C-alpha cells in the first residue's frame, strides 16, 4: 500500500499557508492511504534556540493537527526526536551527499541571504530531511512548493545509495497541489512566518480581523471595474475558506466594479472565522485533555520506531555496517 509521509517544524503558530499548503492535503491523504506525519523538532534546532519554546511549539503543532482533523487511529503521528534512528541514517546519507547539491538549495541560500549566520545543521538540513523520508519507505511526500527541491535532493541521494550499495531505498515523489502551492500573505507575497505576513488559524478573533483588514490593496476606487480580480489577495484567500459560489460572487462583483475592498475583506474575515469554527472547538477540547495528545504521540512513535528499525537495519547491512 502507498505510504504518505510529511513533517512540519514546530516553529510558530499555524497559518493559512501551512494549513492549505501542507496540513489539509496531508490530512485528506491520511484518510485514504497509510500515512506517517511527524513534528520536525530536530529540524527546528537549526533556527530556534529556546528549549521551552521548542517544547511548547511542539505541543501546539500536535494540537493544531488533531484539531484540524488528523485521525490518530489511522495515522502514525509522532515527534521526530522520539525515533532517533533518523540521526544515524542522516550520517550514512551524508557520506553520499555532494557538497554542491546542498550548496544549490534555495532555502539555505535564501536564509543566508537574509543575514542568518548559518550553522552546519542549517546547511545539512536537507540530508536530515532525506533521512526522514527514506527511513519510512515513503512513496509520496505532500509539501508546499518551497520544499520540492528538498524532496528532489532526497531522490538523488536515494538513487546514489541504491547504485552504490544495491537496491535499498524506495524513491519518493513530492506531491504539490497547484491550487494551494503558494498561498499569498497579507502583503501579496508567499505567506510565511519569516515574512511577517501571516494570518493565523487559531489566533485571537480581534487580531485575525486586524490582519485581514490590513491586507495590502491598490488605490483604485470601489466603482472601477477590476479585470484582474482573480489576482487579488483577498479573493485568492476567499476561494480557500468560502464556498465556491460565495467566492465566485465576490470575484464577479470586484471584476464588474462597485465592490469596495473593505467589504471584501470583511467577507473574508467572516468566512475565515466560520470555516475554522469546528476546529477551534475541537482544539479547546484537546487543550483540556493534554494526556490524550501525549498518548497519541507516544503511540505514534512506537509504530514509527518499528518501521525505522527495520529500514535502518536494511541500510546498514547494505553498506557493510552489520
Ligand atoms: P513558514 O514559511 O511560515 O516558515 P514552514 O516552512 O514551516 O512555513 O512550512 C510548513 C509547511 O507549510 C511546508 O510544507 C510548506 O511548504 C507549507 N507552506 C508554508 N507556507 C506556505 C504557503 N504560503 N503556501 C503553501 N504552502 C506553504
Ligand atoms: N523541511 C520541512 C519544512 O520546513 C519539514 C520537514 C522535515 C519535512 N522533514 C520532512 C517535510 C520530511 C516533508 C518530509 O517545512
Amino acid at each position: 500500500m502507498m505510504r504518505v509521509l510529511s513533517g512540519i517544524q514546530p516553529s510558530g503558530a499555524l497559518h493559512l499557508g501551512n494549513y492549505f499548503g501542507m496540513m489539509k492535503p496531508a490530512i485528506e491523504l491520511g484518510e485514504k492511504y497509510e500515512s506517517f506525519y511527524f513534528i520536525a523538532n530536530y529540524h527546528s534546532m537549526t533556527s530556534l534556540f529556546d528549549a521551552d519554546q521548542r517544547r511548547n511549539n511542539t505541543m501546539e503543532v500536535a494540537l493544531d493537527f488533531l484539531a484540524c482533523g488528523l485521525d490518530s487511529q489511522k495515522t502514525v503521528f509522532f515527534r521526530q526526536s522520539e525515533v532517533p534512528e533518523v540521526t544515524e541514517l542522516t550520517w550514512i546519507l551524508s557520506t553520499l551527499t555532494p557538497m554542491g547539491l546542498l550548496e544549490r538549495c534555495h532555502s539555505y541560500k535564501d536564509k543566508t541571504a537574509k543575514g542568518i549566520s548559518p550553522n552546519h545543521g542549517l546547511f545539512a538540513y536537507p540530508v536530515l530531511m532525506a533521512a526522514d523520508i527514506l527511513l519510512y519507505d515513503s512513496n509520496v511526500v505532500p509539501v508546499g512548493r518551497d520544499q520540492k527541491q528538498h524532496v528532489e535532493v532526497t531522490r538523488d541521494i536515494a538513487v546514489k545509495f541504491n547504485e552504490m550499495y544495491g537496491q535499498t531505498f524506495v524513491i519518493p515523489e513530492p506531491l504539490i497541489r497547484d491550487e494551494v502551492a503558494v498561498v499569498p500573505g497579507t502583503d501579496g507575497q508567499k505567506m510565511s512566518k519569516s515574512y511577517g505576513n501571516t494570518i493565523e488559524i487559531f489566533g485571537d478573533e480581534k487580531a485575525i480581523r486586524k490582519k485581514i483588514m490590513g491586507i495590502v490593496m491598490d488605490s483604485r476606487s470601489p466603482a472601477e471595474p477590476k479585470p484582474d480580480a482573480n489576482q487579488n489577495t483577498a479573493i485568492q484567500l476567499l476561494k480557500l475558506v468560502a464556498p465556491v459560489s460565495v467566492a465566485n460572487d465576490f470575484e464577479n462583483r470586484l471584476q464588474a466594479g462597485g465592490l469596495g475592498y473593505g467589504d471584501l475583506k470583511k467577507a473574508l474575515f467572516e468566512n475565515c472565522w466560520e470555516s475554522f469554527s469546528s476546529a477551534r472547538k475541537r482544539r479547546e477540547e484537546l487543550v483540556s485533555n493534554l494526556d490524550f495528545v501525549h498518548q497519541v504521540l507516544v503511540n505514534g512513535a512506537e509504530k514509527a520506531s518499528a518501521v525505522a528499525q527495520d529500514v535502518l537495519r536494511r541500510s546498514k547491512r547494505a553498506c557493510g555496517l552489520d
Side-chain angles (χ1 to χ4, degrees):
M1 188 182 183
M2 190 169 88
R3 181 173 293 158
V4 184
L5 170 137
S6 196
I8 186 164
Q9 289 198 56
S11 54
L14 182 72
H15 57 70
L16 291 174
N18 302 142
Y19 176 73
F20 286 104
M22 184 269 185
M23 194 175 276
K24 183 168 181 263
I27 291 173
E28 285 168 6
L29 285 167
E31 277 153 24
K32 277 205 223 135
Y33 303 104
E34 188 187 13
S35 53
F36 281 51
Y37 298 133
F38 63 91
I39 306 170
N41 52 359
Y42 280 142
H43 277 93
S44 73
M45 298 192 74
T46 59
S47 47
L48 176 69
F49 300 96
D50 184 311
D52 285 336
Q53 210 177 330
R54 187 172 355 272
R55 218 171 272 123
N56 290 339
N57 286 356
T58 301
M59 239 9 228
E60 296 289 324
V61 176
L63 288 165
D64 291 343
F65 248 117
L66 292 168
C68 287
L70 183 97
D71 183 341
S72 59
Q73 299 292 317
K74 289 193 190 149
T75 302
V76 178
F77 185 42
F78 60 103
R79 276 173 287 220
Q80 185 183 31
S81 61
E82 298 284 288
V83 190
E85 283 82 355
V86 75
T87 59
E88 190 173 349
L89 185 60
T90 300
W91 172 255
I92 294 174
L93 300 179
S94 74
T95 61
L96 299 186
T97 309
M99 293 291 283
L101 194 63
L102 299 180
E103 277 159 3
R104 282 196 294 278
C105 285
H106 304 304
S107 81
Y108 177 73
K109 288 198 286 193
D110 289 351
K111 284 185 180 146
T112 49
K114 266 196 225 122
I116 294 174
S117 136
N119 50 53
H120 172 255
L122 189 69
F123 182 68
Y125 178 115
V127 190
L128 176 58
M129 184 157 160
D132 286 327
I133 296 170
L134 301 178
L135 188 60
Y136 300 102
D137 284 340
S138 318
N139 304 101
V140 173
V141 184
V143 279
R145 188 166 287 153
D146 58 315
Q147 295 294 323
K148 181 168 183 244
Q149 191 185 26
H150 292 156
V151 182
E152 283 160 1
V153 167
T154 305
R155 291 169 57 90
D156 286 354
I157 298 173
V159 166
K160 192 159 174 195
F161 188 103
N162 287 350
E163 280 171 7
M164 198 172 276
Y165 294 119
Q167 182 59 40
T168 305
F169 293 121
V170 172
I171 310 296
E173 298 282 346
L175 181 80
I176 295 158
R177 290 213 183 153
D178 272 341
E179 70 280 15
V180 289
V182 186
V183 176
T186 52
D187 58 358
Q189 289 191 76
K190 172 195 178 265
M191 187 178 291
S192 170
K193 273 159 264 173
S194 33
Y195 302 150
N197 62 357
T198 54
I199 297 170
E200 280 69 35
I201 287 176
F202 295 116
D204 165 70
E205 181 172 1
K206 252 191 176 157
I208 295 179
R209 188 195 303 268
K210 194 166 165 213
K211 284 198 171 181
I212 290 181
M213 296 313 285
I215 292 175
V216 178
M217 296 280 157
D218 57 56
S219 55
R220 287 177 287 179
S221 73
E224 204 175 317
K226 321 247 174 352
D228 54 353
N230 63 340
Q231 306 289 322
N232 182 285
T233 302
I235 291 288
Q236 287 179 32
L237 295 175
L238 195 62
K239 285 182 181 169
L240 297 173
V241 297
V244 183
S245 58
V246 172
N248 286 346
D249 180 47
F250 274 92
E251 185 176 351
N252 292 338
R253 285 168 59 196
L254 192 65
Q255 202 164 22
L259 172 66
Y261 288 143
D263 289 339
L264 171 59
K265 291 181 197 175
K266 208 163 146 252
L268 174 60
F269 168 74
E270 280 159 10
N271 279 280
C272 187
W273 190 253
E274 173 57 30
S275 72
F276 290 104
S277 69
S278 57
R280 248 188 330 269
K281 217 159 130 216
R282 235 179 353 253
R283 201 175 191 285
E284 278 163 23
E285 288 160 14
L286 290 163
V287 167
S288 58
N289 194 1
L290 290 180
D291 285 349
F292 167 77
V293 180
H294 273 291
Q295 202 50 50
V296 166
L297 295 172
V298 169
N299 294 348
E302 212 171 281
K303 290 187 194 144
S305 289
V307 178
Q309 283 165 16
D310 250 16
V311 178
L312 183 64
R313 205 174 302 118
R314 187 204 309 153
S315 37
K316 287 175 77 170
R317 197 180 312 125
C319 57
L321 289 172
D322 50 341

